[in-house]
Amino acid sequence: MFISQTERRNFGGSDFIEIQYCKLPESTKLEKIISVKEVSHWENDSLYVSGDDMNLFYEQYKDIIIGGVYNNGKSGNMDLYGINFYSREKADLIIKGIEDEKPQEYEILLRWLKSGTDYIGFYVLGV
């Protein structure tokens, strides 16, 4: 996480995967949730994975962070170059998977996911 977007830019520009809470209302239709124009970027409470660590992140979490919905409405493995939406129910399963598997540096993501239980889910926004 970064305190400000200036701090993020000073760290390394825009080459990041952003893990972001979905703050839309619970009644929001899926088509709107996964719409490119509805997804904002560079939220201060997001987690960021440097592009340099993208492959390691994928290897560590590819079997845990699963079942996301893409911008085209299809679902599958984490797409590190697009929009992935995970519902609250999926987030709960991901939390359990992280607790069971304990991938490298899992505590940061686990704490962040547990802090987001008031939201309808989260996004993994690719580079």
Side-chain angles (χ1 to χ4, degrees):
M1 291 182 82
F2 296 103
I3 294 171
S4 69
Q5 293 309 309
T6 301
E7 180 183 8
R8 177 194 51 83
R9 283 188 292 276
N10 289 339
F11 178 83
S14 62
D15 186 19
F16 292 97
I17 296 167
E18 182 176 2
I19 306 171
Q20 179 188 107
Y21 296 126
C22 179
K23 299 176 182 175
L24 294 169
E26 203 167 314
S27 61
T28 307
K29 295 189 184 307
L30 181 61
E31 294 79 23
K32 184 172 182 177
I33 292 170
I34 59 174
S35 170
V36 172
K37 65 182 182 178
E38 291 297 325
V39 176
S40 60
H41 294 275
W42 311 120
E43 296 291 324
N44 285 333
D45 60 353
S46 292
L47 288 180
Y48 295 91
V49 177
S50 170
D52 293 341
D53 298 321
M54 180 172 71
N55 292 332
L56 177 61
F57 175 79
Y58 185 78
E59 283 303 314
Q60 293 284 316
Y61 288 95
K62 69 180 178 184
D63 296 326
I64 300 171
I65 303 176
I66 57 174
V69 180
Y70 310 137
N71 172 256
N72 64 5
K74 295 184 180 181
S75 182
N77 295 331
M78 194 173 13
D79 176 4
L80 299 181
Y81 297 96
I83 294 172
N84 305 262
F85 170 72
Y86 301 88
S87 67
R88 177 79 258 136
E89 294 78 21
K90 291 278 187 198
D92 292 340
L93 293 173
I94 291 167
I95 288 170
K96 172 122 178 51
I98 291 171
E99 289 173 333
D100 291 347
E101 297 296 321
K102 295 180 176 44
Q104 185 176 350
E105 298 183 28
Y106 74 94
E107 297 93 345
I108 297 166
L109 179 56
L110 183 61
R111 184 175 39 243
W112 185 88
L113 286 168
K114 287 183 173 183
S115 295
T117 57
D118 290 340
Y119 301 113
I120 64 169
F122 72 97
Y123 297 104
V124 173
L125 304 174
V127 293

